Amino acid sequence: MFGLFTRAQLKGKVLLQRRNVLDLNHSSGAPLSHDTWDEFTTKGVTCQLISSTVADQNDASRGLVGEEERVEHWVMHLPPITHSDTTYDVTFDWDVKKQGLPGAVIVRNYHATQFLLKTITIDHVPGHHGPIVFIANSWVYNTDKYHYDRVFFTNDTCLPSNMPVLLQPYREEELQILRGDHPKQKNDRAYQDHDRVYRYDLYNDLGDPDNKSPRPTLGGPDSPYPYPRRGRTGRKPMKSDPTCESRNVVPVLQQFYVPRDECFNHVKKADFTSYLLKAISAGILPLARELLDTAVPREFDDFQDMYKLYEGGIKIPDVPVMDLMFKVFPPLKSICPSGGSYLLKMPMPEVIKNDKLAWRTDEEFAREMLAGLNPHIITRLQEFPPTSKLDGYGDQTSNIKVEHIQPYLGKLTVDKAIADGRLFILDHHDNFIPQLLKINSLENTFVYATRTLLILQDDDTLKPIAIELSRPRLDEIGTKVVGSDSKVYTPPSSAGCESDSKVQDTIWQLAKAYAAVNDSAWHGLISHWLHTHAVIEPFIIATNRQLSVTHPIYKLLQPHYRDTMMINALARQVLISAGGFFEMTVCPGEYALRISSDVYKNWNFTEQALPVDLIKRGVAKHDSTCPCGVSLLIKDYPYAVDGLAVWLAIENWADEYVKIYYPSDNMVQDDAELQAWWKEVREVGHGDIKDQPWWPKMATVQELVRSCATIIWIASALHAAVNFGQYSYAGYLPNRPTVSRRPMPEPGTEEYQEVETNPDMAFIHTITSQLQSIIGVSVIEVLSNHSSDEVYLGQRDEPQWTSDDRAKKVFDKFSKSLIDIEKSIISRNKDENLKNRNGPAQFPYMLLYPNTSDIDGESATGITAKGIPNSISI
């Protein structure tokens, strides 16, 4: 009888992660409190359902809001010492017949301490097939921190036009909050941890004018240095230059604003911190040893001295200065070995693991242009001699002559070799000539602008046949560049006496080193930083500001943005900033970002699509019979072969997914959120190049598909290709030197005499110094690590990311295609006929191995040079 009066109820499960005492992402606000006390003295944590079908009596434009229901049994779970997920119950007094289907939920946190809300799931909802799942994955702070309600929607995918009308105001208000446009929001202050604001800013935080290290602001309509935008932090201006934003330089502790949901999670933060501390322990003490070295100060003694970094470590001097270092920086004492012991050795880089001399070979030097750190720069030579596109620098045409290269062409003439697609070039000449005088004015720096010509051999390997080293030639009064002074070097001949042969071999090794210095700098500055990290951040900001979390394109792209704003903010603090690691260890020094800005002027989003890039570089040709519409001129081109397979999988996934929601071009044009997103990407995020004609109009389904595929490619595969092999290839600096310190030795000089008498030291004295090597290798060790919580391409960290079975089906198809690619890559690496897959270093190319099949991510964790994470997270 009493059952007749029982109120209709819905039972829910709340999955969340409470903050613990070891949370390194929390930098301000209330200290960690005991939630049990808050549970007794406040409302605790509450949830309120919002109807998607029944209007509120007081506001007919919004869905009916239910009563606040308390999350149950909070006190039964002890406060965590480490991070872990906990599930709580919640019971809603909700009659679906009268109040309709829930479409959103309001969550309030009355505790002093924030928590990470993951999902709220309601099972057995009358009239609804399957559970209703509210997706959050967001940190929820004390309700007093907000001037608005924290609203979370179900995992349904909705275009603006098919969003339930009663939920539309909540959708619009949420975007307004994320843009920082709500009337009650304050944007004239430094943002706090709990703020959820995505706004743009210029790169005005790289310099330190207060300490006499100014750097130009990058970006802005009136700036001579165009650049993508970054996320705004709202920090205080510098005292000496109010146009510059202040910055902090403690990388372990977060001292700057990044939207909390963009920060590293506890696992990534712990991994990053441990890698960083290991880099400190591996770098600072060798630095002390370098300062105390009595043999050859500031230099390695020989190549064997370099190997000590990887073979047993370096003995720590037992001297009073070490105690002084511990007093100055106490944390060192807990992470560093004591005097007299041996430093924890660094991992052995793959490039010297199986053969310590393989890096010296011409075969490995050339192979790394196809399967190394920077495998997308080489181009097909289309005219001879090579010419320059520079304007205002005089005649910069190459001095490479037919007689330099004809001996290596066999029966081919130069014209025939070009026509047959057999000549290739790694051309950094124009990249460096404009800034070379400034670069070479830096201390202990002498860099050339280089051109390297290569011949494609019958076995599909490349052979370097000429390297041109150039430097600017000034007019008579020394104020204007009117040309270049160049010298061409070719591989040593086997003819002649043994001593002459050794000298010529060393000169050729040095020529390759100068070319590698150019390529290393270009890799770190352009291929890695600018063309992945910097260009993708505006897309992240615009996506969060203009696309609702329920929007299909948000759901498609969001996994590819994970951790990027956080790692970029860290990079601005310690990597690319004034006096940062890049300036300390890579040849452009303080002029690096100026070069980056010059390159950005010519960046073209549409050319980032791999097939377009290959065609532009002349290493592929249009071929409608091939899956991606292109065929390669170099059949054994590991980056391109594996990359095209991954690109095709990404584009097919984007195509099938997008067409679920956009069956016609009109739907693309009529989607107000989508159009606002693309307009903001172009006119604000990349506003300095907004007038370029190549920007897609975003008027067709195909434009949307290709744009989404390109964003995913940049954030996943392209970044993986240029990042995760850094330590494996460049952890041994002679293979990838980042600085050259003196000109090529000439006959009759002391330097040339050193080449004759001690060729190894001549090489060591020319390339990256010991100090720069130790710091640089320590940094790239951090950057080359896969974290233990990595989410790889074809994986989702939220299995209930959508309620749409159609989308789940095409995603599963995408994942399976990537697993098939993994098998193909393994097979190709075992094919002895494909010599570029392993090379003389016997190091198989795995950088574009998706690692989708590795559900736990364990096989790629650490420095493994394999796996494609979803996003730019390191």
Side-chain angles (χ1 to χ4, degrees):
M1 178 176 177
F2 293 104
L4 296 174
F5 302 100
T6 301
R7 300 179 65 179
Q9 292 183 328
L10 297 177
K11 298 288 187 179
K13 297 288 186 182
V14 180
L15 180 66
L16 57 82
Q17 187 179 101
R18 293 161 68 175
R19 181 186 162 222
N20 69 46
V21 295
L22 302 178
D23 187 357
L24 295 173
N25 281 315
H26 183 76
S27 60
S28 64
L32 183 65
S33 69
H34 200 298
D35 290 344
T36 303
W37 176 253
D38 294 335
E39 190 69 10
F40 286 120
T41 59
T42 71
K43 294 182 182 180
V45 177
T46 67
C47 302
Q48 285 177 278
L49 295 179
I50 303 175
S51 177
S52 64
T53 55
V54 176
D56 192 299
Q57 293 182 353
N58 298 319
D59 185 349
S61 68
R62 293 174 179 262
L64 176 69
V65 179
E67 297 294 327
E68 274 191 273
E69 307 293 355
R70 191 163 184 157
V71 172
E72 303 164 13
H73 310 306
W74 191 276
V75 295
M76 296 179 64
H77 299 274
L78 294 176
I81 296 177
T82 59
H83 291 275
S84 59
D85 293 346
T86 308
T87 301
Y88 299 89
D89 295 325
V90 62
T91 302
F92 299 98
D93 288 332
W94 188 271
D95 188 339
V96 173
K97 292 181 179 179
K98 296 179 180 179
Q99 297 168 287
L101 282 175
V105 63
I106 298 171
V107 178
R108 293 190 177 95
N109 177 16
Y110 294 96
H111 294 158
T113 305
Q114 66 270 25
F115 58 81
L116 175 62
L117 178 63
K118 293 194 169 182
T119 60
I120 300 175
T121 303
I122 303 176
D123 290 309
H124 312 301
V125 180
H128 187 270
H129 176 69
I132 291 179
V133 181
F134 301 95
I135 297 291
N137 290 318
S138 180
W139 284 89
V140 181
Y141 284 73
N142 179 272
T143 188
D144 290 339
K145 299 282 188 181
Y146 304 114
H147 57 78
Y148 53 86
D149 289 329
R150 293 301 313 274
V151 176
F152 302 97
F153 299 97
T154 67
N155 60 348
D156 294 339
T157 304
C158 299
L159 292 169
S161 58
N162 60 21
M163 185 78 171
V165 66
L166 297 178
L167 298 179
Q168 193 68 44
Y170 295 99
R171 177 174 179 147
E172 294 172 355
E173 188 174 74
E174 177 71 2
L175 288 173
Q176 187 183 39
I177 291 166
L178 293 171
R179 289 193 293 267
D181 292 342
H182 195 281
K184 294 183 180 180
Q185 281 178 296
K186 297 179 180 180
N187 293 296
D188 58 350
R189 59 170 174 79
Y191 291 133
Q192 304 297 314
D193 284 353
H194 61 271
D195 285 318
R196 303 169 54 240
V197 177
Y198 293 79
R199 284 199 164 190
Y200 300 94
D201 213 335
L202 310 177
Y203 275 71
N204 63 349
D205 62 342
L206 302 179
D208 190 4
D210 288 354
N211 291 299
K212 299 181 180 181
S213 294
R215 295 293 181 270
T217 293
L218 305 181
D222 301 321
S223 173
Y225 302 105
Y227 221 63
R229 298 298 182 263
R230 64 171 177 90
R232 180 184 175 187
T233 63
R235 289 168 295 180
K236 294 180 180 180
M238 290 281 188
K239 294 179 181 179
S240 59
D241 186 352
T243 66
C244 294
E245 191 174 87
S246 59
R247 61 189 179 92
N248 306 97
V249 291
V250 182
V252 178
L253 300 177
Q254 183 179 334
Q255 297 179 302
F256 48 85
Y257 170 79
V258 171
R260 185 65 174 88
D261 294 341
E262 303 295 335
C263 294
F264 293 160
N265 67 24
H266 65 286
V267 176
K268 182 59 174 281
K269 188 71 175 181
D271 283 353
F272 183 82
T273 303
S274 64
Y275 295 149
L276 190 64
L277 291 176
K278 185 177 184 297
I280 292 173
S281 69
I284 289 183
L285 289 179
L287 173 58
R289 179 262 191 191
E290 181 246 342
L291 294 172
L292 296 166
D293 194 338
T294 58
V296 185
R298 305 186 68 80
E299 299 289 355
F300 288 106
D301 297 337
D302 49 32
F303 282 113
Q304 189 58 43
D305 198 26
M306 291 185 182
Y307 295 143
K308 289 179 183 178
L309 290 173
Y310 322 105
E311 296 178 337
I314 297 175
K315 188 174 183 178
I316 306 305
D318 190 5
V319 291
V321 71
M322 298 306 300
D323 294 330
L324 178 62
M325 289 180 64
F326 291 145
K327 290 179 181 179
V328 173
F329 190 51
L332 280 180
K333 194 168 185 178
S334 63
I335 62 175
C336 296
S338 59
S341 64
Y342 282 83
L343 179 73
L344 177 66
K345 65 180 180 181
M346 293 180 175
M348 181 71 72
E350 292 286 347
V351 75
I352 59 170
K353 180 177 287 186
N354 294 312
D355 185 341
K356 289 182 180 179
L357 299 180
W359 66 274
R360 288 178 177 263
T361 65
D362 288 356
E363 291 82 359
E364 182 63 26
F365 174 74
R367 171 196 173 253
E368 290 182 21
M369 299 179 196
L370 304 175
L373 271 188
N374 212 20
H376 60 316
I377 306 300
I378 189 170
T379 61
R380 179 169 60 87
L381 187 66
Q382 301 190 45
E383 56 183 342
F384 190 86
T387 58
S388 170
K389 295 181 180 179
L390 293 176
D391 185 22
Y393 293 87
D395 185 7
Q396 295 290 335
T397 302
S398 174
N399 283 336
I400 300 176
K401 309 296 183 184
V402 171
E403 52 265 31
H404 287 130
I405 64 174
Q406 186 61 60
Y408 308 99
L409 302 185
K411 297 180 179 179
L412 294 174
T413 64
V414 172
D415 289 341
K416 179 64 173 173
I418 291 175
D420 290 352
R422 299 288 295 273
L423 284 176
F424 293 82
I425 184 170
L426 184 70
D427 192 348
H428 285 299
H429 180 92
D430 288 4
N431 298 335
F432 285 88
I433 281 291
Q435 296 288 341
L436 204 54
L437 290 174
K438 293 179 179 178
I439 293 171
N440 286 343
S441 69
L442 299 172
E443 184 179 2
N444 293 321
T445 302
F446 192 95
V447 178
Y448 291 100
T450 66
R451 293 181 173 110
T452 303
L453 259 60
L454 306 102
I455 182 73
L456 180 64
Q457 303 183 108
D458 292 339
D459 62 357
D460 238 22
T461 61
L462 292 171
K463 177 180 177 59
I465 57 176
I467 296 175
E468 181 182 41
L469 307 182
S470 303
R471 51 184 173 176
R473 183 173 70 251
L474 299 176
D475 60 14
E476 293 181 355
I477 59 176
T479 59
K480 183 179 180 180
V481 177
V482 294
S484 61
D485 293 322
S486 304
K487 189 169 182 178
V488 179
Y489 298 86
T490 58
S493 170
S494 58
C497 65
E498 182 179 352
S499 60
D500 286 344
S501 177
K502 288 183 177 180
V503 168
Q504 293 307 308
D505 181 69
T506 301
I507 295 297
W508 178 242
Q509 291 294 337
L510 286 171
K512 291 191 292 183
Y514 287 118
V517 167
N518 277 188
D519 201 54
S520 293
W522 198 255
H523 162 263
L525 180 63
I526 306 302
S527 300
H528 187 195
W529 168 254
L530 176 64
H531 284 170
T532 63
H533 285 259
V535 300
I536 212 69
E537 188 161 353
F539 290 95
I540 300 172
I541 300 170
T543 300
N544 282 280
R545 286 168 53 87
Q546 300 296 344
L547 298 181
S548 165
V549 294
T550 67
H551 197 287
I553 301 304
Y554 179 94
K555 289 178 179 284
L556 173 65
L557 297 179
Q558 187 273 335
H560 306 289
Y561 297 156
R562 181 184 189 231
D563 294 338
T564 304
M565 290 187 69
M566 182 67 184
I567 197 63
N568 282 5
L570 286 167
R572 295 197 308 272
Q573 299 303 300
V574 298
L575 191 64
I576 63 171
S577 55
F581 289 125
F582 197 91
E583 288 193 3
M584 292 170 64
T585 62
V586 184
C587 71
E590 64 183 77
Y591 303 104
L593 273 297
R594 292 178 175 89
I595 295 176
S596 182
S597 172
D598 287 340
V599 175
Y600 177 63
K601 295 174 185 177
N602 298 312
W603 181 74
N604 183 327
F605 173 72
T606 62
E607 291 178 352
Q608 307 312 301
L610 181 58
V612 180
D613 168 64
L614 295 171
I615 292 292
K616 179 187 177 184
R617 292 191 286 119
V619 296
K621 59 184 179 181
H622 292 287
D623 188 342
S624 59
T625 65
C626 295
C628 291
V630 299
S631 60
L632 296 171
L633 273 66
I634 306 174
K635 302 304 180 184
D636 183 15
Y637 187 169
Y639 164 76
V641 172
D642 297 355
L644 284 172
V646 173
W647 166 266
L648 182 63
I650 290 172
E651 189 168 42
N652 286 343
W653 150 237
D655 181 77
E656 293 185 53
Y657 177 86
V658 166
K659 287 177 179 177
I660 294 172
Y661 306 101
Y662 298 93
S664 69
D665 293 342
N666 288 338
M667 292 194 69
V668 173
Q669 299 162 19
D670 294 341
D671 185 339
E673 286 185 11
L674 183 73
Q675 293 301 321
W677 168 66
W678 195 248
K679 177 180 174 66
E680 186 167 289
V681 164
R682 174 176 172 172
E683 297 184 2
V684 183
H686 285 286
D688 294 346
I689 54 173
K690 64 181 179 181
D691 296 323
Q692 294 297 326
W694 46 257
W695 279 104
K697 305 301 182 185
M698 203 52 68
T700 67
V701 174
Q702 189 52 45
E703 283 182 321
L704 177 57
V705 168
R706 176 53 72 97
S707 296
C708 289
T710 302
I711 292 169
I712 296 171
W713 166 261
I714 294 172
S716 60
L718 180 58
H719 179 259
V722 299
N723 182 73
F724 290 104
Q726 287 188 86
Y727 191 83
S728 297
Y729 286 108
Y732 184 64
L733 258 297
N735 184 54
R736 297 282 300 182
T738 56
V739 174
S740 49
R741 294 180 282 157
R742 64 186 190 183
M744 176 69 85
E746 295 291 342
T749 65
E750 291 183 7
E751 290 80 9
Y752 197 85
Q753 185 178 5
E754 186 179 41
V755 169
E756 295 175 317
T757 59
N758 194 343
D760 283 354
M761 287 310 300
F763 189 93
I764 290 171
H765 286 155
T766 300
I767 65 166
T768 317
S769 71
Q770 185 187 54
L771 168 61
Q772 292 170 315
S773 295
I774 291 171
I775 295 174
V777 170
S778 298
V779 170
I780 64 173
E781 182 185 2
V782 175
L783 300 181
S784 300
N785 271 280
H786 283 292
S787 67
S788 56
D789 74 327
E790 207 84 85
V791 183
Y792 293 94
L793 194 63
Q795 299 176 349
R796 304 282 300 220
D797 57 354
E798 176 50 68
Q800 301 184 93
W801 62 279
T802 181
S803 63
D804 193 332
D805 289 335
R806 298 170 300 171
K808 291 178 181 178
K809 183 177 180 180
V810 294
F811 182 75
D812 288 343
K813 180 180 177 182
F814 173 51
S815 300
K816 291 175 182 177
S817 69
L818 293 171
I819 293 173
D820 288 340
I821 290 171
E822 293 176 3
K823 297 174 183 176
S824 298
I825 290 174
I826 295 296
S827 177
R828 284 193 287 271
N829 284 345
K830 292 179 179 179
D831 189 340
E832 295 181 356
N833 294 318
L834 301 176
K835 296 184 178 181
N836 295 324
R837 300 297 308 190
N838 294 274
Q842 303 170 50
F843 176 31
Y845 187 73
M846 294 285 282
L847 288 171
L848 289 177
Y849 177 88
N851 206 46
T852 311
S853 59
D854 184 10
I855 304 301
D856 297 326
E858 293 181 356
S859 70
T861 299
I863 300 176
T864 58
K866 77 170 186 178
I868 304 176
N870 269 327
S871 63
I872 301 168
S873 58
I874 190 67

